[in-house]
Amino acid sequence: MTLPERVSAYFDAIRARNGEVNAFVRTYEAEAMAEAESVQRKIDAGTAGPLAGMVMGIKDVISEKGRITSCASGILREFEAVYDATVIERLKAADAVLIGRLNMDEFAMGSSNEHSIYGPTRNPHDLSRVPGGSSGGSAAAVAAGFCDATLGSDTGGSVRQPAGFCGVVGLKPSYGRVSRHGLVAYASSFDSIGPLSRTVEESARILEVIAGEDAHDMTCSRKPVGEYVAATRQSIRGLRIGVPDEYFGEGLDPHIRTRIMDLVARFEADGAVIVPCRLPHSAYAIATYYILATAEASSNLARFDGIRYGHRAAKLPAGDESALLRLYKQSRSEGFGTEVKKRIMLGTYVLSAGYYEAYYGKAQRVRRLIQEDFKRAFSQCDVLISPIAPTTAFPIGEHPDDPVAMYLNDIYTISANLAGICGISVPAGTHPDDGLPIGVQFMADAFREEDLLRAAAHVERIREA
Ligand code: GLN
């Protein structure tokens, strides 16, 4: 099939099923078809870029010039990005075809894609289930066959957990590996952009294109970009795989546990070295994350004030406060959804005078302990293996009044963001009871994406064998 034919087939699939899955919130068919024609001409002439033929969707939190970048929030409902994020510039330069914008939890806050002005995204494997979040649309679009690959963002698991729930590959690069210029910030010391795709190799190809130094993002590393695609072809013989005790404890579905342990045995039989290890501060990861991430979010989201960007209240309530203050309050009250408001309040609280040391200061110190846990583990092994989540995709509406139960779903993914290391979710079969995808996670030390991809690709070889 030619590229225009493939893009056209994807639009047919979107027309047939996006109504029920609700992964894409906007598509750009005419522009995508024109782009596909132009890339096809380059393919024919032998001048095409490294991602020619890759048809992609973008999470609605990454700026694409001239396109609405709403973050699934009422406050940015009409906001048109005025420049391309660095990752978008690089995808375009590499000849990827970008076909539309993907649903997500508002401002990337959530694990289920239920908090969105566009309504929930549904898991293509079972429409009564969540696709995970916050990059739920990005994972569901790949799983539903709407495109080849997508970009998501991962602040506390948001690429990996939905990838696991939808049975696709999701890669969270190390902190600083990929530029965040043009990503709407949630928690700046955690945020990362990563690919989701059907195969490990495709994610490696995308990472090679989007990774690397960027003058627009001072947190982006100058370290040379690795040979990620080549790493997927390397044997795992001699690779040291750590099995962290704390990631197989209470709360983990027994079938998921068995599945991951079977994989460990296969890796050992295939020549990997299995190393039992400990990450003793794991139990504090969720509390630490929800203090630090909300603190950073409360500061990052202060810019949405009804004056500079986005929604502005049309009518102000009467009151004694200044008109400016009433405008801020009313615009923010109307524009933000409940979960986002909750996070802003939490974050403001942990940063407020009198509580700062008890919460924010302490969480910073615990973050350091978690980083040191990983440092110690990676002195003994190259990658860590674990489940991606304690269960398979849960039913839509399961956690309406219990946000903490939802937060607990991130238990295996959040620590990688606290530590700044990289992680990947790879499909590892389906659950015997509900038939839903099970994901296995690998984590590697910062800027060791090659090890991650080497291990991840082996899971595909085992699956195919
Ligand atoms: N579920 C986590 C949260 O709600 C992680 C979100 C993310 O990685 N963007 O904050």
Side-chain angles (χ1 to χ4, degrees):
M1 258 204 269
T2 64
L3 183 55
E5 283 165 355
R6 289 187 56 239
V7 171
S8 163
Y10 276 137
F11 276 101
D12 288 341
I14 292 169
R15 266 187 292 275
R17 251 198 117 198
N18 191 55
E20 56 187 25
V21 176
N22 199 23
F24 275 104
V25 296
R26 277 175 301 282
T27 49
Y28 299 94
E29 186 163 5
E31 292 95 321
M33 287 307 298
E35 188 55 26
E37 304 276 357
S38 133
V39 174
Q40 183 63 49
R41 280 192 293 275
K42 291 191 201 171
I43 295 173
D44 296 340
T47 59
L51 292 184
M54 190 79 83
V55 181
M56 295 183 65
I58 306 295
K59 184 177 182 180
D60 210 25
V61 68
I62 300 172
S63 304
E64 257 185 276
K65 188 177 177 178
R67 295 190 171 170
I68 289 176
T69 298
S70 76
C71 302
S73 179
I75 213 151
L76 289 175
R77 197 186 294 269
E78 315 278 338
F79 175 71
E80 241 177 52
V82 290
Y83 61 88
D84 274 335
T86 298
V87 291
I88 298 296
E89 264 177 15
R90 291 184 183 173
L91 291 182
K92 286 180 175 174
D95 286 329
V97 175
L98 311 184
I99 66 170
R101 313 279 306 168
L102 294 157
N103 208 347
M104 57 184 281
D105 282 299
E106 183 176 356
F107 283 107
M109 296 173 184
S111 314
S112 67
N113 213 134
E114 292 169 292
H115 312 293
S116 161
I117 47 162
Y118 306 107
T121 300
R122 293 172 182 277
N123 192 314
H125 297 278
D126 177 345
L127 297 173
S128 71
R129 306 276 176 147
V130 303
S134 64
S135 312
S138 301
V142 175
F146 295 161
C147 53
D148 294 317
T150 57
L151 287 187
S153 64
D154 192 312
T155 302
S158 274
V159 161
R160 290 161 288 152
Q161 183 257 23
F165 278 9
C166 290
V168 302
V169 174
L171 168 61
K172 174 222 157 335
S174 310
Y175 187 78
R177 181 66 297 178
V178 173
S179 163
R180 286 106 37 94
H181 176 65
L183 171 73
V184 179
Y186 164 9
S188 307
S189 76
F190 299 83
D191 292 341
S192 58
I193 295 178
L196 297 97
S197 58
R198 279 187 286 263
T199 66
V200 174
E201 203 230 19
E202 288 168 306
S203 277
R205 278 175 62 199
I206 295 169
L207 183 63
E208 272 185 24
V209 166
I210 62 175
E213 172 172 12
D214 178 17
H216 295 301
D217 178 359
M218 66 183 183
T219 65
C220 193
S221 169
R222 294 194 174 151
K223 281 197 181 33
V225 175
E227 307 253 333
Y228 303 129
V229 176
T232 65
R233 303 192 184 117
Q234 253 176 45
S235 146
I236 52 109
R237 200 155 278 283
L239 191 69
R240 295 170 306 162
I241 301 194
V243 185
D245 232 22
E246 291 77 3
Y247 282 54
F248 293 87
E250 207 190 321
L252 175 62
D253 178 295
H255 290 291
I256 298 182
R257 181 178 205 282
T258 308
R259 178 60 53 85
I260 309 295
M261 284 308 177
D262 286 349
L263 270 177
V264 171
R266 274 301 300 270
F267 268 79
E268 187 166 31
D270 293 344
V273 181
I274 306 302
V275 188
C277 66
R278 300 290 312 270
L279 296 166
H281 296 93
S282 298
Y284 305 106
I286 290 189
T288 306
Y289 170 83
Y290 276 99
I291 289 170
L292 298 177
T294 56
E296 294 183 25
S298 71
S299 159
N300 274 326
L301 270 54
R303 73 192 64 175
F304 304 107
D305 56 9
I307 304 276
R308 287 172 289 187
Y309 306 89
H311 175 75
R312 177 180 299 174
K315 266 208 344 249
L316 294 190
D320 297 336
E321 290 160 333
S322 71
L324 181 64
L325 204 56
R326 280 180 289 138
L327 177 67
Y328 287 160
K329 275 193 181 169
Q330 192 60 19
S331 303
R332 288 167 68 81
S333 300
E334 289 172 5
F336 289 130
T338 321
E339 183 63 28
V340 174
K341 285 179 187 158
K342 203 184 298 168
R343 307 265 183 128
I344 293 173
M345 286 191 276
L346 256 173
T348 309
Y349 180 78
V350 300
L351 287 174
S352 56
Y355 296 105
Y356 180 94
E357 246 322 294
Y359 292 106
Y360 186 77
K362 196 166 175 187
Q364 290 283 36
R365 289 194 290 277
V366 179
R367 181 178 197 174
R368 173 56 62 89
L369 294 175
I370 291 171
Q371 284 165 348
E372 282 166 5
D373 278 358
F374 281 103
K375 206 174 275 167
R376 226 171 295 116
F378 289 128
S379 70
Q380 301 163 349
C381 67
D382 304 306
V383 297
L384 291 159
I385 189 170
S386 81
I388 203 72
T391 62
T392 55
F394 47 87
I396 292 178
E398 184 167 86
H399 302 307
D401 308 316
D402 190 357
V404 174
M406 176 92 84
Y407 298 170
L408 284 174
N409 209 266
D410 300 329
I411 187 153
Y412 305 131
T413 42
I414 262 177
S415 295
N417 303 75
L418 285 161
I421 61 175
C422 53
I424 193 167
S425 176
V426 193
T430 51
H431 194 283
D433 295 341
D434 55 25
L436 289 167
I438 292 176
V440 56
Q441 169 171 245
F442 294 98
M443 291 182 281
D445 206 355
F447 301 99
R448 298 296 310 163
E449 276 82 0
E450 291 92 335
D451 290 339
L452 204 64
L453 291 158
R454 197 174 149 197
H458 196 67
V459 176
E460 295 180 327
R461 286 190 284 269
I462 293 174
R463 234 174 37 216
E464 278 151 25

